[in-house]
Amino acid sequence: MWFDQAEAKDLTLLAEYGVWGGVPAAPLCLPGLGRYGRYQFDRYVLLQRNNLTVAQRREVIFLAEHFHKIDHFEFFELNHDADERSLKRAFFRFSKRFHPDQVSAIDLGHFSEHVQMVFEYGQQAYKLLTEEREFRAAYARVTAARDHAYLTHLKTEREVQRSRVESARAKGIKPPLKSRIASAPTPATDQRTQEEITDRKAMLRERLAKNNQRRQDNAEAKHSADLKSQAKTFFIAGEQAERRGQLNRALNHFKLCVEYIPQEKKYMIALKRVEALISDQRASGLWSEVEVMLSADDELQRLAAIDLMVEACEISPNQRRLMTLSQETIELDCVDRALPLLIKQHKKEELSLEYMWAIVQCYEALKQIQEAKHYAHLMISLDPSEPRAIRFNKRYH
Amino acid sequence: MERIIGIDLGTTNSCVSIVEGNTSVVIPGRGGSNITPSVVAITQDGKRLVGQLAKRQAVTNPTNTITAGKRLIGRRWDEPLTQELLEARGFESHAGQQGEVMVKINQRSYAIPEISSMILLELKEIAEEYFGGSISKAVLTVPAYFNDRQRQATREAGKLAGLEVIRIINEPTAAALSYGYGKDIDKVVAVYDLGGGTFDFSVLHISEGVFEVLSTVGDTQLGGEDFDDRLIMQWLVVEFAKEHRVDLRRDKMAMQRLRDAAERAKCELSSTRSTEISLPFIISRADGMTLHLQTILTRQKLESLTEDLVERTIEICKRGLQEAKTEVNEVILVGGMTRMPLIQERVRDFFKRSPRRDVHPDEVVSLGAALQGMSLQSNGPDILLLDVTPMSLGIMVSGGLFNTLIPRNTTIPTSKSHVFTTIRDQQTSVRILVLQGENEDATKNDLLGEFTLSQIRSAPRGEIEFEVTFDIDANGVVSVNARNLETGQEQAIVVTARSGMSGEALERMATENAEHLVGLRERERVLQLKQKIKRTLNMMDRIMPRVETLLSNNGFAEEALVKAKEVIRRSKATINHDDIEALERDAKALSRTLNMFHNVIEKMKRS
């Protein structure tokens, strides 16, 4: 509705230029509010690490976010009646800030993309304004008409508001807070009430808290990202160590991984794998001693070997070891050492007949026939043609 | 801070500069001269000579001495212009694997960038000696009217010489940089740069350390060498033949001596009114008698021989001013040739003001290049160059037409995209031919590169659309990207020195690939055709009265005239509708008629 006073032929001419001919519905920068109007800069973005000055950052952030929301004259900080010379000057000033050559030597950090985008836009806008005189004239007329309409509207609005406030004051009524804030772009300090000030303070505090929260979130996000990458490096190092056979080292690395990122399954699996490998190694070390002792064929030695065997089976049980252990204990009459291990392993691998048979034998040695029968029954239910179990059943029937 | 040298790699002379303190200075070469001749020679024992030494022995060793390599850089062997240039030279040459020009010295072949790199290496060594440390970065200058391939070849030469070429800038722009740096001015400056092999004319607006190029025009085959050629071919050789009945052109050594003498005489005539050319024992006749060449050359004679060349430069200036659309406040003259009084006079007449005398025509370019190099450093001099592309860039569209995406004199860096569509039903691949030039007919332009987008869904024509994006970065490197808007499939190239072709090869390719080109969208095509018809109609209106008077009493012609009028009437009607086929037909018919009329007028004029 701000274009009512613009001429129709100007508008049709601008329409031919597509996005470039589009005049935003209202000016963003109101008189007296400076270049950036009421734009709230994001402090987090503003304070990111780079080599720009704060003024430059403001300009970059503002333009990057608003270049398509402000008209070309506003973009170059010009009035619509600006002549060619001042347009050129403005463009030169603009290029000195944004031309890739001017910024190539400084670290732009996260801003490099914005700078490039803004420069490309500005360059095309400048080209259009200088080369297409008709376009520029039409654009200037339309923006001028729009600004005029908008500003008069603003003025009358303000007048109405003021008179309303006056009359209300006269009656002793305070206007609602909302309308007060909206109607006064630059409230005079003496008009502020205590209430308003506390409100404003509360708002600021809230914003501060929000910003703090965000910063904290960001810090956390960064921390977790760090942890992730840390864990990744540990994981790679761990894998390498594992491949080289340095199992203890790999174990340490994987332990760290799991500590950093406990929810990552990959790390957990790797850790378990290495732990198993290590215990297996230890167990086989023990087992080789056991074998030496067993080969001595001396009863005392064999008794001592049982201790070692139990230890090995505790660390890393497998079928061969457990079978040997159960045979030895049956022979040496100390089945109670082997039985708990066997039962534990049986619970782990419920379908293994060998364990069950070992348990049956152990119970038989202990003369607990009921228990033995129970396990023999289990075996038969798994495999009806199991000869050992059938023989056992026959024997005790 | 790292040192950056600025190198003006000229056709006849080269120059190197460096920034010291706040301003740039020329580094004097071996023998104390500020400029180094761009001559490379390899002696019988394989020793490489560059510069003054090479130039001095050129007379005795013409087949192993390469002069003016810059005129051949980035050119293809099969271009007619290349052949013309090579014919006049003493050295042997042949085509390389990718169709580039190779020269043969002492049984070894060198590519042209290799020859240039020898000169660059010499200049680099000069700078290193002066500075007492190694130098690895340089800004090179090229004639503004060099096309992209020539620029890439120059960049390659820099790389071969062990230099990181951080920027390639245009010679006239560099001259303006050197002129405007440190001056608090707000002016429009015209740069007239006539060097050994090329002519460039640029108009710049200088203000507060920003140098905005407004327009750039030029001719890469017009320079001091052409002036020498005129002197030799049209005068010395002719006069000698008249007097002694001997053709000097068949003796390479004699030609080399003539070239030397002509160049020297030309330079002397800048300050004196006449000079003597004396070449004893220039050639021996079949009967064993030795002949001498001795003659007096006056300035007047030289001027009458080369007047049309100077006139050509002024024509180019006119075009440049038209494109700049502004008044010129200053004129600066660059290049050794501008010392010629005739040129100074004509420039003064044309611009109606005296050219500046405070720039050194041989050194100013390299000084500017050094300044530009330092301004790219973080705390270098505060200057900003807004350069332009000298030639239009675009692609070939259906019908062999050239569709411009980036028009010439566009400020770089820039990027532009446009949407094209398929031209046939069931077209499964499109070929994008990237071209540089000004001609509407695509085959008359220079091909920079080509690529194919394939695996396109078969569909009726015009249904599948492609977005072609041209991008020129601040370094002037062109990259082109095509995207299938339906699938998002992309294909891109960066233009390199080795790619490209022109002339017949391009025409052949255009016909071969006619089926795989892309076309404009229908709406645009209609607009384009309408514009074309309108343009032709305007021209027709202008010449119609003349044609009518010329053909008034000719029975056959009258019939043609009636037909032509019918075509015009019909086109005026079709222009109001969007019928693409009718538009196409009428556009063709109109241009045929216009051609016919032009021929008629020509014929009448002659008879």
Side-chain angles (χ1 to χ4, degrees):
Chain A
M1 65 177 169
W2 314 120
F3 296 116
D4 289 349
Q5 286 171 37
E7 282 180 42
K9 76 172 195 314
D10 286 346
L11 289 173
T12 46
L13 182 97
L14 290 187
E16 276 180 28
Y17 288 86
V19 270
W20 294 99
V23 179
L28 187 80
C29 314
L30 298 174
L33 283 181
R35 169 102 166 118
Y36 308 124
R38 289 198 202 127
Y39 181 63
Q40 296 282 350
F41 286 94
D42 187 331
R43 278 175 61 83
Y44 179 71
V45 178
L46 204 59
L47 295 178
Q48 268 170 354
R49 205 181 64 80
N50 57 45
N51 290 346
L52 293 171
T53 63
V54 172
Q56 283 170 325
R57 291 167 194 217
R58 277 178 194 278
E59 185 76 7
V60 172
I61 296 171
F62 176 73
L63 286 182
E65 193 160 316
H66 282 287
F67 65 85
H68 52 286
K69 295 179 199 156
I70 57 180
D71 60 68
H72 303 331
F73 294 109
E74 241 178 296
F75 186 90
F76 288 118
E77 292 181 78
L78 287 170
N79 290 327
H80 1 85
D81 51 0
D83 60 354
E84 191 121 343
R85 208 179 170 72
S86 43
L87 175 62
K88 198 158 234 186
R89 247 165 219 285
F91 178 66
F92 283 2
R93 204 168 52 230
F94 167 80
S95 318
K96 279 208 164 183
R97 277 185 285 200
F98 293 114
H99 194 278
D101 279 359
Q102 292 297 93
V103 296
S104 65
I106 52 178
D107 173 23
L108 287 176
H110 291 51
F111 283 24
S112 61
E113 220 170 87
H114 296 308
V115 170
Q116 197 188 347
M117 191 165 67
V118 167
F119 180 73
E120 266 177 30
Y121 181 87
Q123 186 168 317
Q124 289 186 41
Y126 168 71
K127 201 172 147 72
L128 204 61
L129 288 182
T130 46
E131 288 187 0
E132 313 263 337
R133 273 156 214 261
E134 268 176 51
F135 169 79
R136 192 173 121 207
Y139 201 85
R141 278 196 296 272
V142 171
T143 41
R146 175 202 66 176
D147 286 3
H148 182 72
Y150 186 69
L151 292 180
T152 23
H153 162 79
L154 222 59
K155 222 185 228 168
T156 50
E157 192 101 310
R158 220 171 280 170
E159 283 301 318
V160 168
Q161 195 70 24
R162 197 166 294 156
S163 65
R164 229 185 267 160
V165 170
E166 288 294 311
S167 64
R169 280 242 173 84
K171 285 182 205 159
I173 307 165
K174 275 190 184 167
L177 194 68
K178 220 165 143 197
S179 74
R180 251 181 289 153
I181 291 173
S183 70
T186 46
T189 27
D190 53 343
Q191 281 174 1
R192 280 192 189 173
T193 61
Q194 193 56 43
E195 197 184 337
E196 232 176 307
I197 293 169
T198 45
D199 259 8
R200 188 150 176 76
K201 273 186 182 164
M203 199 177 78
L204 285 173
R205 222 172 284 136
E206 198 182 317
R207 198 182 296 155
L208 195 68
K210 218 159 72 187
N211 280 343
N212 274 340
Q213 180 62 38
R214 182 160 41 196
R215 209 168 306 147
Q216 213 175 334
D217 286 350
N218 273 312
E220 268 169 29
K222 194 163 180 310
H223 184 64
S224 78
D226 278 352
L227 281 184
K228 239 179 206 167
S229 70
Q230 199 60 283
K232 214 170 180 182
T233 36
F234 277 134
F235 182 66
I236 291 165
E239 276 188 321
Q240 279 173 353
E242 190 189 336
R243 239 174 281 133
R244 271 187 251 116
Q246 303 165 323
L247 288 178
N248 283 323
R249 202 165 159 194
L251 181 76
N252 282 342
H253 281 304
F254 290 140
K255 262 187 191 160
L256 280 171
C257 286
V258 173
E259 199 176 301
Y260 280 6
I261 313 285
Q263 64 270 33
E264 177 71 57
K265 269 192 190 137
K266 190 168 74 175
Y267 299 162
M268 212 59 196
I269 292 165
L271 181 66
K272 282 206 174 130
R273 185 179 67 225
V274 170
E275 272 177 342
L277 275 173
I278 287 174
S279 42
D280 190 51
Q281 224 172 35
R282 266 180 65 200
S284 52
L286 287 171
W287 202 257
S288 57
E289 265 180 64
V290 168
E291 268 164 1
V292 172
M293 286 166 139
L294 289 182
S295 62
D297 207 11
D298 172 58
E299 189 144 325
L300 266 180
Q301 290 254 356
R302 279 171 72 184
L303 266 174
I306 285 191
D307 280 340
L308 288 177
M309 277 152 108
V310 169
E311 199 181 338
C313 290
E314 259 166 4
I315 295 163
S316 168
N318 69 13
Q319 198 177 327
R320 186 170 65 87
R321 286 175 199 153
L322 280 169
M323 286 307 120
T324 323
L325 176 65
S326 63
Q327 290 312 318
E328 283 296 316
T329 45
I330 289 164
E331 273 182 49
L332 295 173
D333 202 15
C334 50
V335 190
D336 50 334
R337 302 288 304 271
L339 204 52
L341 284 171
L342 280 169
I343 291 172
K344 198 173 144 200
Q345 192 64 18
H346 164 70
K347 283 198 177 131
K348 259 192 221 165
E349 295 175 57
E350 279 181 322
L351 297 181
S352 170
L353 290 170
E354 292 309 315
Y355 290 135
M356 288 184 210
W357 178 237
I359 292 169
V360 169
Q361 282 180 312
C362 287
Y363 276 125
E364 197 184 0
L366 282 176
K367 304 277 188 280
Q368 296 182 359
I369 306 301
Q370 273 309 317
E371 293 290 343
K373 264 188 178 168
H374 168 69
Y375 278 100
H377 192 71
L378 267 182
M379 282 170 82
I380 288 170
S381 65
L382 268 178
D383 183 0
S385 63
E386 170 62 45
R388 292 173 290 186
I390 294 169
R391 239 179 287 134
F392 177 81
N393 269 357
K394 267 186 192 156
R395 209 178 317 148
Y396 286 101
H397 220 45
Chain B
M1 192 167 58
E2 197 160 6
R3 298 260 171 169
I4 298 173
I5 50 174
I7 295 180
D8 170 16
L9 181 62
T11 310
T12 44
N13 291 306
S14 299
C15 186
V16 57
S17 299
I18 198 160
V19 172
E20 289 236 76
N22 263 336
T23 177
S24 56
V25 291
V26 176
I27 302 173
R30 307 195 206 286
S33 148
N34 273 356
I35 51 175
T36 306
S38 307
V39 183
V40 175
I42 291 174
T43 56
Q44 296 300 330
D45 47 350
K47 223 170 81 183
R48 186 190 288 179
L49 297 175
V50 181
Q52 205 61 51
L53 291 174
K55 194 178 183 185
R56 230 175 274 146
Q57 58 85 61
V59 176
T60 56
N61 191 17
T63 50
N64 294 327
T65 307
I66 312 288
T67 56
K70 189 181 173 185
R71 299 196 103 172
L72 297 169
I73 201 163
R75 294 202 170 276
R76 301 185 68 81
W77 170 259
D78 48 16
E79 285 174 52
L81 204 65
T82 315
Q83 290 302 322
E84 209 175 287
L85 283 169
L86 285 169
E87 244 167 55
R89 313 270 144 194
F91 45 80
E92 274 180 69
S93 54
H94 60 95
Q97 278 179 353
Q98 270 114 350
E100 74 272 32
V101 180
M102 304 283 284
V103 295
K104 213 167 187 181
I105 326 175
N106 272 344
Q107 279 85 49
R108 228 207 97 180
S109 291
Y110 298 89
I112 298 293
E114 273 180 272
I115 301 292
S116 295
S117 80
M118 293 178 197
I119 300 165
L120 290 176
L121 198 64
E122 170 83 3
L123 295 172
K124 181 185 164 198
E125 276 166 10
I126 290 172
E128 280 175 348
E129 227 165 78
Y130 172 88
F131 172 56
S134 78
I135 284 169
S136 62
K137 287 185 175 177
V139 172
L140 300 187
T141 64
V142 294
Y145 228 55
F146 256 24
N147 66 24
D148 208 73
R149 215 158 9 126
Q150 287 166 309
R151 280 163 205 265
Q152 295 296 346
T154 309
R155 192 179 281 273
E156 196 175 299
K159 216 182 279 167
L160 288 173
L163 285 169
E164 187 195 331
V165 182
I166 57 169
R167 183 63 54 92
I168 287 200
I169 63 172
N170 298 330
E171 283 163 11
T173 320
L177 272 180
S178 167
Y179 164 76
Y181 172 61
K183 291 193 179 79
D184 187 20
I185 50 173
D186 185 356
K187 277 178 180 166
V188 177
V189 177
V191 184
Y192 178 103
D193 176 3
L194 185 58
T198 53
F199 173 68
D200 281 321
F201 178 73
S202 286
V203 183
L204 293 99
H205 185 177
I206 306 177
S207 162
E208 295 166 29
V210 180
F211 296 70
E212 187 195 18
V213 182
L214 299 174
S215 77
T216 284
V217 286
D219 187 339
T220 45
Q221 297 303 325
L222 176 60
E225 293 238 319
D226 296 297
F227 285 68
D228 298 348
D229 274 353
R230 281 288 161 84
L231 203 52
I232 296 162
M233 294 302 178
Q234 291 193 1
W235 191 63
L236 288 173
V237 171
V238 177
E239 291 291 308
F240 196 80
K242 260 188 213 161
E243 198 180 326
H244 300 290
R245 308 253 155 249
V246 172
D247 188 359
L248 282 173
R249 275 177 295 184
R250 65 184 165 80
D251 187 335
K252 279 182 181 165
M253 199 183 284
M255 283 306 281
Q256 189 61 47
R257 285 180 70 187
L258 269 182
R259 204 171 281 282
D260 257 15
E263 194 191 332
R264 213 173 311 125
K266 183 184 73 181
C267 293
E268 274 172 22
L269 284 178
S270 293
S271 47
T272 60
R273 294 223 148 257
S274 70
T275 183
E276 190 183 10
I277 297 176
S278 166
L279 294 167
F281 310 110
I282 180 106
I283 201 165
S284 30
R285 229 162 38 184
D287 57 11
M289 199 176 123
T290 4
L291 299 171
H292 316 298
L293 189 149
Q294 191 157 31
T295 177
I296 303 278
L297 177 64
T298 61
R299 192 189 281 179
Q300 214 178 357
K301 183 73 203 166
L302 176 69
E303 288 178 356
S304 70
L305 282 169
T306 57
E307 214 173 354
D308 64 310
L309 293 177
V310 180
E311 225 34 64
R312 241 167 85 193
T313 65
I314 298 295
E315 282 301 315
I316 293 170
C317 291
K318 257 185 215 161
R319 224 170 62 217
L321 279 190
Q322 255 170 28
E323 275 171 25
K325 295 183 214 127
T326 168
E327 286 280 298
V328 170
N329 306 121
E330 293 280 3
V331 180
I332 52 179
L333 296 179
V334 184
M337 268 315 291
T338 56
R339 292 202 181 86
M340 189 174 173
L342 177 67
I343 289 175
Q344 295 190 346
E345 193 184 303
R346 290 291 295 124
V347 169
R348 194 178 310 125
D349 289 351
F350 178 71
F351 291 100
K352 302 196 177 52
R353 67 179 64 244
S354 300
R356 297 284 302 203
R357 296 206 162 266
D358 56 352
V359 291
H360 194 296
D362 296 322
E363 296 168 3
V364 65
V365 171
S366 76
L367 290 173
L371 281 173
Q372 169 69 3
M374 290 313 278
S375 83
L376 294 176
Q377 301 279 72
S378 54
N379 46 355
D382 185 21
I383 50 179
L384 173 61
L385 185 60
L386 300 173
D387 215 339
V388 299
T389 81
M391 278 179 253
S392 304
L393 280 167
I395 66 167
M396 190 192 284
V397 293
S398 64
L401 291 176
F402 179 56
N403 190 276
T404 308
L405 266 98
I406 299 182
R408 70 163 179 282
N409 288 337
T410 302
T411 312
I412 52 173
T414 184
S415 68
K416 209 60 170 290
S417 47
H418 197 93
V419 176
F420 297 94
T421 72
T422 47
I423 51 165
R424 274 183 312 121
D425 296 341
Q426 267 76 48
Q427 185 171 352
T428 52
S429 74
V430 293
R431 198 131 179 81
I432 309 284
L433 304 177
V434 181
L435 300 154
Q436 186 168 42
E438 306 306 328
N439 207 308
E440 247 184 56
D441 182 359
T443 52
K444 300 264 169 35
N445 292 323
D446 224 21
L447 182 83
L448 294 179
E450 38 164 329
F451 60 96
T452 309
L453 260 182
S454 52
Q455 294 170 341
I456 294 164
R457 181 172 68 83
S458 82
R461 72 169 163 202
E463 193 175 305
I464 296 180
E465 301 191 327
F466 308 93
E467 187 181 48
V468 177
T469 306
F470 273 63
D471 192 272
I472 309 181
D473 68 7
N475 273 314
V477 176
V478 178
S479 50
V480 186
N481 170 305
R483 196 158 62 91
N484 185 337
L485 286 177
E486 194 181 64
T487 59
Q489 177 203 10
E490 269 185 72
Q491 196 53 259
I493 55 159
V494 175
V495 174
T496 59
R498 298 238 178 264
S499 56
M501 60 178 71
S502 64
E504 276 171 40
L506 178 55
E507 237 164 83
R508 199 170 55 238
M509 208 162 99
T511 48
E512 274 168 17
N513 287 313
E515 298 225 306
H516 302 283
L517 290 174
V518 289
L520 288 171
R521 281 195 285 198
E522 198 167 320
R523 180 82 207 117
E524 287 168 322
R525 180 100 184 102
V526 167
L527 280 179
Q528 196 192 29
L529 283 169
K530 277 186 182 172
Q531 269 167 11
K532 197 177 169 191
I533 292 177
K534 263 185 206 160
R535 256 203 323 269
T536 335
L537 280 175
N538 277 343
M539 268 195 268
M540 204 71 112
D541 285 346
R542 242 177 293 147
I543 66 164
M544 208 52 183
R546 271 185 73 192
V547 176
E548 271 174 1
T549 50
L550 280 171
L551 300 181
S552 53
N553 40 19
N554 185 332
F556 166 72
E558 227 147 78
E559 199 179 313
L561 212 56
V562 171
K563 266 189 194 159
K565 276 184 182 159
E566 167 61 26
V567 169
I568 292 171
R569 198 190 52 72
R570 202 179 54 201
S571 333
K572 275 180 184 161
T574 41
I575 213 167
N576 296 324
H577 305 287
D578 285 354
D579 181 0
I580 194 158
E581 269 159 33
L583 281 169
E584 247 168 30
R585 186 195 60 214
D586 286 351
K588 259 184 203 158
L590 262 182
S591 61
R592 243 197 333 262
T593 324
L594 188 67
N595 262 345
M596 188 186 75
F597 284 173
H598 274 305
N599 288 341
V600 167
I601 293 173
E602 280 291 303
K603 246 182 228 164
M604 290 293 179
K605 252 192 215 163
R606 248 179 272 144
S607 63

